[in-house]
């Protein structure tokens, strides 16, 4: 039966431990304060999560350097003490001619197409009008791998919180 449904995978031990996630951090200092309170109060903790407030304008694979410029250093400190860090990643790349991932995906035809128009399928999610990688073609996979690697060069993550991976469309306001 496992040849049909797949074999079980043993998750990393740390992923089964105690995790801290919070929406609404305003800066790296806020995250550091929570981190240090866990340590000083000897509370059990294995992993800290970063929600979309650490992103620049909610664009995936970015970091808001205005408020979280020191986050990479804090993550290094966490790693030195064997704590893990998991950032959120949504699926929607902003449809923005200045976004490096959108530009790259547009050039390589990496996005899901509308079955009605054969244009890139556009939906409205956290960064606004967004397009989505087509994981059924190699260009979509390559774009995602490229983006993950680029992000890791800035945010040394231990895992990814893949959010908004279900069909979703936030209603554009204003």
């Amino acid at each position: 039966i496992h040849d049909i449904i797949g074999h079980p995978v043993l998750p990393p031990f740390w992923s089964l431990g105690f995790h801290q996630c919070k929406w609404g951090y305003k800066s790296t200092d806020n995250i550091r304060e929570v981190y240090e309170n866990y340590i000083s109060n000897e509370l059990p903790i294995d992993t800290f999560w970063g929600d979309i407030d650490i992103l620049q304008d909610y664009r995936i694979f970015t970091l808001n350097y205005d408020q979280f410029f020191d986050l990479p250093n804090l993550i290094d400190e966490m790693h030195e003490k064997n704590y893990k860090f998991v950032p959120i990643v949504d699926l929607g790349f902003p449809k923005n001619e200045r976004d490096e991932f959108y530009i790259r995906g547009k050039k390589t035809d990496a996005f899901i197409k509308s079955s009605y128009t054969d244009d890139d399928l556009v939906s409205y999610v956290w960064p606004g009008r967004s397009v989505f990688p087509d994981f059924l073609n190699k260009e979509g996979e390559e774009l995602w791998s490229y983006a993950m690697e680029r992000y890791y060069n800035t945010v040394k993550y231990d895992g990814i919180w893949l959010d908004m991976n279900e069909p979703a469309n936030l209603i554009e306001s204003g």
Side-chain angles (χ1 to χ4, degrees), residues 7-20:
H7 296 274
V9 176
L10 185 62
F13 186 71
W14 62 264
S15 70
L16 302 174
F18 295 95
H19 295 243
Q20 165 64 39

Side-chain angles (χ1 to χ4, degrees), residues 2 5-6 17-18 27 30 37-38 46 49 54 63 68 71-72 91 116-118 124 139 166-167 172 174:
H2 288 292
I5 64 169
F18 295 95
S27 67
N30 286 154
N37 281 335
Y38 268 93
D46 295 291
W49 295 59
I54 70 170
L63 180 63
F68 296 93
L71 184 60
L91 282 179
Y116 298 106
T117 66
D118 205 35
Y124 190 83
E139 291 78 12
E166 71 283 356
E172 185 171 5

